[in-house]
Structure formats: C-alpha cells, structure tokens
C-alpha cells in the first residue's frame, strides 16, 4: 500500500525525530477496526524496539477480537500538547505509525517481548521480573505492531523556533 504524503511538509518531523518520540513516550492510542466496522481506539502502554511496537494484553476482549479480525492498525503518540489560548492554537508534536498488528503465538518471542516491556517499565529489577514472568506469562497476550509507515508532525511555531536556533 502506498501511504499519503503529509500535506504540510514543513511541519513534518524526520524519521529520527519520530523514532525518538516513540522511544521516549510510554503510552499512545492504538486504533483498530472494531465491532460492526466502527473504529476502536484504545489507550495503551507500549515499548518501541527496532521498528516495532510491543504491547501486552489480557487474553480476550474487544482489542483482541479486533486484532484477530483485521491486522491493519495505526498508533498515535502525543509528545507535546501545549495550548496557547492567546494565540488560538496549540504547540503540538505527535507521531502516527501505520502497520500490521498481530498476536504473538511463538512462546520464545512472547517471552522476549515480556522482558522488553518489563525492563522498560521496571528497569534493573531482574528478580522481580522473573517472578512476574513465572506468575503471569501464561495469562498474558503479547502483541507485535510491525511499522510500515511512520509520520511525525509539529506545530509551525515549533518549526520556526527550531529554525531561529540554527
């Protein structure tokens, strides 16, 4: 599939800046095709690693059903949202990833994802992570989002501020 070009290219972030936002943030909104063809967007914690996003989930629910019925998804992270009332605008910075999402069936990959998530949200706690994995891995669903297209954008005011610094 060919993805649209951004209309306001001057506001487009580089791939490196977009990936930097994905590395830094801890939550975003996963958008899926839900029941009856309605969009289903759910806030969720994640980790970015080597061109992929990883999530964990309960074994069943609306999100899981949506993923199983359609693998196309998008994921949005808001890095900055600074409302400027006097200017009638918002100084924003955000990233949207488009790609394919899947339930990880391979146990070794599932364990690796659980470790990546555990180390991101509770770093340097190997013993605690081992206990959590022993207790909860069998009841955890691992989800992989393979990024096919990534686009980041920031408010024109931020673009101008960056240009002034140069």
């Amino acid at each position: 599939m060919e993805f649209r070009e951004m209309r306001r290219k001057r506001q487009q972030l580089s791939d490196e800046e977009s990936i930097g936002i994905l590395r830094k943030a801890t939550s975003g909104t996963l958008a899926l095709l839900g029941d009856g063809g309605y969009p289903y967007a759910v806030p969720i914690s994640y980790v970015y690693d080597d061109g992929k996003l990883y999530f964990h989930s309960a074994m069943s629910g609306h999100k899981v059903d949506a993923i199983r019925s359609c693998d196309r998804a998008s994921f949005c992270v808001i890095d900055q949202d600074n409302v400027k009332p006097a200017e009638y605008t918002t100084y924003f910075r955000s990233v949207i990833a488009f790609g394919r999402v899947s339930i990880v069936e391979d146990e070794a990959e599932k364990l690796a994802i659980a470790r990546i998530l555990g180390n991101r949200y509770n770093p340097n706690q190997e013993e605690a992570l081992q206990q959590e994995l022993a207790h909860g891995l069998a009841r955890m669903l691992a989800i992989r989002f393979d990024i096919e297209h990534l686009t980041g954008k920031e408010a024109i005011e931020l673009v101008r501020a960056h240009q002034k610094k140069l």
Side-chain angles (χ1 to χ4, degrees):
M1 165 161 182
E2 196 167 317
F3 292 92
R4 289 181 189 220
E5 288 187 22
M6 186 177 292
R7 188 172 55 88
R8 295 187 172 182
K9 290 182 189 260
R10 287 186 17 209
Q11 293 176 254
Q12 187 168 353
L13 299 174
S14 69
D15 285 345
E16 294 77 25
E17 290 169 308
S18 296
I19 290 169
I21 290 169
L22 290 177
R23 287 187 196 282
K24 180 176 80 170
T26 57
S27 65
T29 303
L30 178 63
L32 305 163
L33 184 61
D35 294 345
Y38 281 92
Y40 177 66
V42 60
I44 190 168
S45 298
Y46 75 98
V47 66
Y48 171 87
D49 187 61
D50 195 28
K52 295 175 180 18
L53 302 169
Y54 297 107
F55 316 97
H56 77 284
S57 172
M59 301 297 281
S60 63
H62 193 167
K63 172 177 66 247
V64 175
D65 293 344
I67 291 169
R68 291 193 192 281
S69 70
C70 179
D71 70 344
R72 290 186 182 105
S74 68
F75 186 72
C76 177
V77 172
I78 298 172
D79 180 54
Q80 182 175 333
D81 181 31
N82 187 2
V83 177
K84 298 290 188 176
E87 298 176 42
Y88 293 93
T89 194
T90 302
Y91 291 9
F92 68 89
R93 184 175 291 116
S94 62
V95 172
I96 300 176
F98 298 88
R100 305 289 176 141
V101 64
S102 59
I103 306 297
V104 174
E105 303 292 345
D106 180 77
E107 288 299 317
E109 185 180 2
K110 179 179 173 179
L111 178 59
I113 292 168
R115 289 191 156 289
I116 291 169
L117 286 160
N119 287 322
R120 169 66 196 258
Y121 289 97
N122 194 12
N124 305 314
Q125 298 296 320
E126 185 60 31
E127 188 176 319
L129 177 57
Q130 281 299 112
Q131 289 176 356
E132 183 63 26
L133 293 174
H135 177 259
L137 187 64
R139 296 186 324 270
M140 181 195 97
L141 203 64
I143 301 167
R144 184 185 63 241
F145 185 112
D146 295 297
I147 298 173
E148 295 177 345
H149 181 70
L150 185 65
T151 183
K153 185 177 177 182
E154 68 182 354
I156 193 67
E157 294 84 358
L158 296 176
V159 173
R160 291 179 186 139
H162 292 11
Q163 290 172 344
K164 283 182 184 178
K165 289 179 185 178
L166 300 176

